[in-house]
Amino acid sequence: MSKLTKTILLFLLMLAMSCSNQVSRNKKQLDLGTNKYIYADKNGSFSVTRQVGFQKGDDKLYVKRQMELENRDRNNILEQSIVYSNPGYLKKKTAILRPEEAQYSVWFDGKKYTSHIKISPKNKGYELKTTGPESRDKQNKIIPAPKTKKLLCFFSQVTECLAFSGFIKKAIEVESGSARFMLVWDGYPYFQEAYNDIPMEMFSNAELNYDGKINEDEFRFNLVVGNQSIFYVLGKEGDLKKIFWIAQGVSMVRKDLQDESNE
């Protein structure tokens, strides 16, 4: 093996180690584990369980979410999803979570509808499979990925995606900041049927803005997408505490915080 070859291999090894160390550092900015929330809208109050972690084997970040009726033993699930993203880099500088796969299920009038999105590099897009009680609900097609240099984030992973990139921590430190990115609606197309005035598209331009300090450990961010504004309240470590989606009449508050306010 020539000196030049050895030098190139050593450089590539050092580069890989540097990227691996950077990814490890960015992982520490994520709030991993399971939290329970109280979700409320015009239809009532529901229980949401949200689990965040890295999958063993391929180290992909997953966010698992399940909404269910409280105090019911059977047939209580109303909506559930799991999304996977792959840690990486954009132009060897910005740490990113590449959206790779999403599974979404929702029940309308007791009938189950599912959506499965999976990245398809060969087709330069995402494969979408849907199922439902009617034959028209079953489809399988490729949706081209948007031609953009922006960061892509799953809707269910917005705070993790922007925290992994370093934006959340920096915005809290300087009490300012805005991040533009491309939002991937991981429940498409059924998510759009469950909520009003959501763009009927899988990809939407979005922006997350720092919106102010509430107290020493609560910071508000505003997600602007389409004609919607969704407010996220995060802790200093980027942990998701509350969501307020005023246009939809939706609130989601971590159960321990809800319990404290009721004392």
Side-chain angles (χ1 to χ4, degrees), residues 18-49:
S18 174
C19 290
S20 176
N21 290 336
Q22 181 65 25
V23 166
S24 295
R25 286 194 294 270
N26 284 63
K27 282 182 180 180
K28 294 178 181 179
Q29 299 192 54
L30 302 182
D31 179 42
L32 306 181
T34 302
N35 285 295
K36 289 187 177 294
Y37 297 82
I38 301 299
Y39 177 103
D41 63 14
K42 62 183 180 181
N43 296 311
S45 181
F46 311 95
S47 175
V48 169
T49 302

Side-chain angles (χ1 to χ4, degrees), residues 75-208:
N75 301 324
N76 61 334
I77 299 175
L78 301 175
E79 186 180 315
Q80 63 184 12
S81 66
I82 185 166
V83 298
Y84 301 91
S85 292
N86 199 16
Y89 276 88
L90 189 63
K91 296 182 178 180
K92 299 180 181 180
K93 292 181 179 180
T94 305
I96 63 171
L97 292 171
R98 294 187 178 92
E100 292 206 345
E101 185 176 3
Q103 300 171 34
Y104 176 82
S105 301
V106 64
W107 282 258
F108 296 132
D109 299 324
K111 297 176 181 179
K112 184 179 181 180
Y113 297 79
T114 70
S115 170
H116 183 197
I117 298 167
K118 190 171 184 178
I119 195 168
S120 177
K122 179 180 68 173
N123 295 299
K124 297 181 180 179
Y126 288 80
E127 183 180 16
L128 170 67
K129 293 182 179 179
T130 63
T131 66
E134 305 292 336
S135 58
R136 66 175 180 270
D137 299 316
K138 299 177 176 63
Q139 59 175 317
N140 187 349
K141 63 181 181 180
I142 298 295
I143 298 182
K147 294 180 179 180
T148 179
K149 296 180 180 180
K150 292 180 181 178
L151 180 70
L152 269 68
C153 296
F154 274 133
F155 177 68
S156 296
Q157 286 184 345
V158 164
T159 55
E160 285 80 15
C161 186
L162 274 299
F164 191 78
S165 73
F167 168 74
I168 297 292
K169 182 179 180 180
K170 185 65 176 177
I172 288 175
E173 285 177 354
V174 301
E175 298 188 11
S176 179
S178 178
R180 295 181 179 178
F181 62 99
M182 187 66 68
L183 186 74
V184 185
W185 295 102
D186 43 88
Y188 177 84
Y190 298 122
F191 186 87
Q192 278 77 354
E193 294 183 20
Y195 297 89
N196 298 322
D197 300 322
I198 305 298
M200 186 50 74
E201 57 193 13
M202 203 171 94
F203 305 97
S204 294
N205 284 302
E207 187 172 330
L208 188 70

